[in-house]
């Protein structure tokens, strides 16, 4: 952690060097001494320190400076570091102005020139200033910092991306004093958001996920152009494949478009996963799997959107959105599924502003003592209901069926029944959403028809349907009518193998219609939609990759 700074500014270079020399001799071990020759230069230094999240203990400014005098500098410096102690360096003739300035800029002390000997005239003053600052210092912020509007979809996407990639950050709204200071330091206004400030002090305005990934230290480019195995998708199936592929000696790279973990990574608690009797959060499970894959030598790339799969001889080539490619002997498709969008009027316009698909755990603290509506009757919705019940005044679980029995695990049904502030609304659907800057009201109606009723609502989380993200495989890999990848026996029609299949064997159990391309987890047709089965299929796919590489080509 950087030392707290003491900044001195004087337009006379000789005086500036002398002050810095005396300060460095006495305080240099515990403080960083910064000197500037003008108020503008000093403000630029303070802006850099603010963006890097560093501390400033004392500001020492000369009163008589051209362009910006010491009082004007200290007044502007207060906007960046309001807790820094402020000392004005004056000549004897300026003492009346210095005394008056105590009330103007909340001056802590004025110091007469010359200050020699410093042991008598400078150090006692500085000691008092430093002790006063230590009693209520600026807290260093070494995390990534985000400034944005409270109800802003782009701001939410940035926060959600960092949270799901386990990048620590601090969130400030444009109404926060610290948020305003960061905008001032970056030379921006409240319209220039979301603003992201990296730990090194670099500023990004409304960055794309790819830009953000690079700046916060996530790996986005492969180390090689050819691998034994490329895993597409970083959910449980993809992470399982990466762990087993790398541990078995395959040169393995995992490509993830947004954040590892998939839908499971957003789960607040998974309680039916083998080996975790007390449950484990999706984020914890994802973090362990990531570290395990990296330990065995797998590469994990983030913000990599694959747009095409091509067959070039024995190589399987994947094309990225930016026009680059990567090739491998084999591919495992583990892209999972995404939640289906509700088509009710108003929902699309309010997405990210009170309407969310998936858990959006970053919003949970903001839901405190408010009503939360959740749409969906499967485990993911049930886990979210349990999670939000710890914050919300009441959680309303909206389902189209008559009960939760058909789609939710028994242990979750029993837990929900035992929580007083969770209310299940059977045979109910959302038919409209209303709000200006954010969600304010929902219209609910019985699935059999009848009049709709309007409820006040600020939060709606949707967990319905399962749509595979496989459009980019169109014309290459056979899929079913809903877009799920067909594998193994499902590709056979009687004794007929899939069109274009040239090998003298049937497709392996998890192999697609393209030899050497396998599917695992939720993206595979008729798979069991559970975390444990996805991990198992990822591991099983790797064993089939070995068979393919040894004997199946």
């Amino acid at each position: 952690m950087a030392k707290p700074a003491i900044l001195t500014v004087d337009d006379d270079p000789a005086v500036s060097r002398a002050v810095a020399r005396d300060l460095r001799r006495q305080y240099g071990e515990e403080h960083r001494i910064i000197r500037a020759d003008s108020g503008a230069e000093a403000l630029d230094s303070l802006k850099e320190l603010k963006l890097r999240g560093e501390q400033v203990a004392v500001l020492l400014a000369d009163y008589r400076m051209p362009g910006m005098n010491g009082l004007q500098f200290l007044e502007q410096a207060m906007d960046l570091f309001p807790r820094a102690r402020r000392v004005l360096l004056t000549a004897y003739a300026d003492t009346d102005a210095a005394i008056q300035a105590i009330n103007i800029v909340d001056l802590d002390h004025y110091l007469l020139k010359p200050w020699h000997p410093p042991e008598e005239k400078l150090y006692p003053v500085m000691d008092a200033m430093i002790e006063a600052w230590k009693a209520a210092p600026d807290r260093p912020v070494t995390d990534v910092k985000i400034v944005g509007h409270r109800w802003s979809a782009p701001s939410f996407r940035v926060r959600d991306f960092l949270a799901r990639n386990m990048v620590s950050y601090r969130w400030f709204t444009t109404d926060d004093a610290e948020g305003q200071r960061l905008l001032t330091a970056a030379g921006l206004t409240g319209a220039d958001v979301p603003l992201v400030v990296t730990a090194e002090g670099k500023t990004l305005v409304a960055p794309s996920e790819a830009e953000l990934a690079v700046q916060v230290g996530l790996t986005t480019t492969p180390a090689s152009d050819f691998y034994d195995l490329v895993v597409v998708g970083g959910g449980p199936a993809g992470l399982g494949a990466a762990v087993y592929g790398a541990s078995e000696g395959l040169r393995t790279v995992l490509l993830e478009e947004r954040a590892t973990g998939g839908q499971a990574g957003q789960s607040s608690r998974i309680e039916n996963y083998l080996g975790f009797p007390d449950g484990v959060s999706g984020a914890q499970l994802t973090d362990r799997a990531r570290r395990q894959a990296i330990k065995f030598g797998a590469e994990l790339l983030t913000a990599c959107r694959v747009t095409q799969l091509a067959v070039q001889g024995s190589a399987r080539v994947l094309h990225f959105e930016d026009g680059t490619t990567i090739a491998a002997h084999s591919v495992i498709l583990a892209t999972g599924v995404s939640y289906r969008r509700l088509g009710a009027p108003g929902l699309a316009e309010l997405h990210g502003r009170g309407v969310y698909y998936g858990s959006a755990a970053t919003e949970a603290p903001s839901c405190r003592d408010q009503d939360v509506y959740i749409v969906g009757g499967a485990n993911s919705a049930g886990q979210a209901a349990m999670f939000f019940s710890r914050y919300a005044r009441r959680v309303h679980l909206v389902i189209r069926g008559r009960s939760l029995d058909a789609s939710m695990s028994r242990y979750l049904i029993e837990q929900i029944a035992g929580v007083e502030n969770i209310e299940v609304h059977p045979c109910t659907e959302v038919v409209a959403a209303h709000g200006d800057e954010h969600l304010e009201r929902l219209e609910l109606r019985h699935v059999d028809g009848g009049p709709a009723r309007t409820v006040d609502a600020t939060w709606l989380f949707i967990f319905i349907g399962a749509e595979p993200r496989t459009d980019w495989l169109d014309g290459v890999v056979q899929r079913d009518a809903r877009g799920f990848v067909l594998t193994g026996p499902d590709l056979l029609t009687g004794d007929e193998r899939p069109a274009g299949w040239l090998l003298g064997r049937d497709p392996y159990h998890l192999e697609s219609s393209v030899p050497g391309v396998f599917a695992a987890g939720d993206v595979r047709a008729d798979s069991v939609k559970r975390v444990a089965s996805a991990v198992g299929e990822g591991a099983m796919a790797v064993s089939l990759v070995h068979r393919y590489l040894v004997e199946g080509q």
Side-chain angles (χ1 to χ4, degrees):
M1 186 177 297
K3 300 175 182 178
I6 296 175
L7 184 143
T8 174
V9 52
D10 196 304
D11 68 306
D12 186 329
V15 174
S16 178
R17 286 194 296 270
V19 175
R21 178 199 62 216
D22 288 343
L23 292 174
R24 191 172 292 112
R25 184 173 62 193
Q26 182 73 4
Y27 305 105
E29 287 189 9
E30 296 184 0
H31 296 81
R32 181 181 171 195
I33 311 302
I34 300 173
R35 73 178 186 90
D37 295 330
S38 69
E41 180 185 336
L43 281 176
D44 288 341
S45 296
L46 290 179
K47 290 175 182 178
E48 290 183 17
L49 293 172
K50 169 59 71 176
L51 294 175
R52 291 201 298 263
E54 296 186 25
Q55 301 168 293
V56 175
V58 182
L59 300 166
L60 183 63
D62 181 55
Y63 176 62
R64 290 181 178 269
M65 292 188 296
M68 180 187 299
N69 66 35
L71 293 179
Q72 293 169 329
F73 162 72
L74 291 174
E75 190 172 14
Q76 293 189 48
M78 287 174 62
D79 294 335
L80 296 169
F81 290 95
R83 291 188 177 87
R85 297 296 159 171
R86 294 170 288 279
V87 179
L88 193 66
L89 193 62
T90 69
Y92 182 80
D94 300 321
T95 54
D96 288 343
I99 292 171
Q100 294 174 5
I102 291 176
N103 294 325
I104 297 175
V105 297
D106 196 19
L107 192 69
D108 293 297
H109 203 281
Y110 68 90
L111 185 66
L112 287 175
K113 296 180 183 179
W115 61 88
H116 296 290
E119 290 79 8
E120 294 180 11
K121 297 184 178 180
L122 176 62
Y123 297 158
V125 171
M126 292 298 297
D127 288 344
M129 294 298 99
I130 290 171
E131 287 302 315
W133 175 80
K134 284 182 177 179
D138 289 311
R139 302 297 179 188
V141 181
T142 56
D143 297 333
V144 173
K145 297 172 279 291
I146 307 170
V147 182
H149 296 305
R150 175 66 194 86
W151 296 108
S152 161
S155 296
F156 165 73
R157 284 195 292 270
V158 167
R159 288 185 292 134
D160 189 57
F161 178 81
L162 293 180
R164 292 186 60 188
N165 281 288
M166 301 176 194
V167 176
S168 180
Y169 70 87
R170 292 282 298 276
W171 159 246
F172 305 97
T173 71
T174 52
D175 296 327
D176 294 331
E178 185 65 11
Q180 285 294 326
R181 293 183 195 115
L182 289 168
L183 288 172
T184 299
L188 303 173
T189 69
D192 302 313
V193 293
L195 166 68
V196 178
V197 183
T198 69
E200 296 75 27
K202 183 169 184 178
T203 58
L204 308 168
V205 179
S208 68
E209 290 182 351
E211 294 171 330
L212 188 57
V214 170
Q215 294 301 326
V216 299
L218 299 174
T219 305
T220 60
T221 56
S224 175
D225 57 2
F226 198 92
Y227 293 83
D228 295 320
L229 171 63
V230 173
V231 181
V232 186
L239 286 168
V243 167
Y244 282 93
S247 67
E248 293 296 321
L250 297 178
R251 291 173 299 164
T252 302
V253 60
L254 182 148
L255 313 176
E256 170 54 46
E257 181 176 342
R258 195 152 194 273
T260 51
Q263 289 187 9
Q266 295 179 277
S267 296
S268 56
R269 183 155 296 274
I270 303 167
E271 297 193 58
N272 59 352
Y273 190 73
L274 184 66
F276 292 89
D278 298 321
V280 61
S281 74
Q284 291 172 325
L285 192 63
T286 297
D287 182 52
R288 294 183 182 190
R290 280 174 56 94
R291 289 189 282 113
Q292 197 172 15
I294 292 170
K295 181 187 79 170
F296 286 122
E299 290 181 42
L300 271 61
L301 308 184
T302 308
C304 293
R305 184 168 182 264
V306 182
T307 58
Q308 183 184 353
L309 170 66
V311 177
Q312 295 181 6
S314 61
R316 306 296 177 253
V317 181
L318 294 158
H319 294 252
F320 295 128
E321 189 175 33
D322 64 1
T324 60
T325 62
I326 192 173
H329 290 303
S330 59
V331 173
I332 294 178
L333 305 173
T335 50
V337 295
S338 54
Y339 293 113
R340 181 166 56 83
R341 294 298 195 253
L342 270 180
L347 290 179
E349 294 80 1
L350 294 170
H351 184 206
R353 297 187 291 129
V355 176
Y356 307 94
Y357 289 87
S359 180
T362 53
E363 302 301 296
S366 301
C367 299
R368 193 175 300 278
D369 300 325
Q370 301 180 47
D371 281 21
V372 169
Y373 283 79
I374 295 174
V375 178
N379 279 10
S380 54
Q383 290 160 353
M386 293 295 298
F387 175 67
F388 282 107
S389 69
R390 298 182 304 193
Y391 299 89
R393 176 176 56 217
R394 195 159 195 80
V395 176
H396 302 267
L397 191 55
V398 179
I399 61 173
R400 290 179 56 85
R402 297 186 177 277
S403 72
L404 298 170
D405 294 332
S407 54
M408 190 176 292
S409 296
R410 173 52 53 183
Y411 81 91
L412 262 178
I413 296 174
E414 293 174 353
Q415 286 183 357
I416 288 171
V419 178
E420 292 185 358
N421 66 331
I422 298 180
E423 181 179 354
V424 180
H425 300 268
C427 302
T428 304
E429 60 184 351
V430 175
V431 294
H434 305 279
D436 295 324
E437 291 188 356
H438 60 87
L439 177 66
E440 297 174 2
R441 298 175 305 282
L442 290 173
E443 289 185 34
L444 307 178
R445 186 175 60 195
H446 194 281
V447 293
D448 293 334
R453 59 187 178 93
T454 301
V455 296
D456 292 332
T458 309
W459 305 97
L460 176 66
F461 300 91
I462 301 169
F463 301 81
I464 61 167
E467 294 182 337
R469 296 175 286 179
T470 58
D471 291 346
W472 59 280
L473 296 171
D474 190 34
V476 180
V477 173
Q478 288 189 21
R479 300 171 295 152
D480 68 11
R482 295 184 297 164
F484 291 93
V485 177
L486 296 168
T487 59
D490 292 337
L491 290 166
L492 303 178
T493 305
D495 294 331
E496 294 291 327
R497 292 169 180 158
W501 186 270
L502 302 178
L503 301 183
R505 61 167 177 83
D506 291 344
Y508 295 137
H509 183 64
L510 300 181
E511 195 170 20
S512 75
S513 58
V514 176
V517 176
F518 300 81
D522 291 358
V523 73
R524 191 177 67 82
D526 297 325
S527 63
V528 178
K529 305 299 188 282
R530 290 290 184 268
V531 175
S533 62
V535 173
E537 287 195 4
M540 182 180 176
V542 170
S543 69
L544 296 175
V545 165
H546 273 289
R547 288 181 62 185
Y548 168 77
L549 294 177
V550 172
E551 61 186 52
Q553 296 189 53

